[in-house]
Amino acid sequence: MSPDNIREIDSIKWDRFEKAFSVNEQEKIIESLLDFDLFPIKDSYIAYLRRDKSAIKRNESPNRTA
């Protein structure tokens, strides 16, 4: 981490994330995180989900709260 590498977060994208998080809309949380330039975790599925966002709907968890 370097203080020279501090990035500004798009406030509209951040608001969208916060709203989804506050009401636990898991699908929208993931979708909003995918809109950021950098996803908060490194995972091979991130590129796949960015290319095919419908994969989120096709792969819902049975324990998901709606």
Side-chain angles (χ1 to χ4, degrees), residues 33-65:
L33 289 172
L34 289 170
D35 285 339
F36 289 111
D37 293 333
L38 291 175
F39 198 81
I41 59 169
K42 275 193 163 198
D43 192 288
S44 60
Y45 282 106
I46 304 310
Y48 171 72
L49 292 173
R50 282 189 167 140
R51 281 193 310 272
D52 183 9
K53 290 187 179 178
S54 67
I56 297 168
K57 293 181 196 275
R58 292 193 316 265
N59 200 15
E60 291 181 354
S61 167
N63 297 326
R64 185 177 154 232
T65 57

Side-chain angles (χ1 to χ4, degrees), residues 7-21:
R7 297 174 286 121
E8 291 292 321
I9 296 176
D10 182 315
S11 62
I12 295 171
K13 291 178 182 180
W14 184 252
D15 287 343
R16 183 174 172 231
F17 166 76
E18 283 186 320
K19 287 176 187 172
F21 187 82

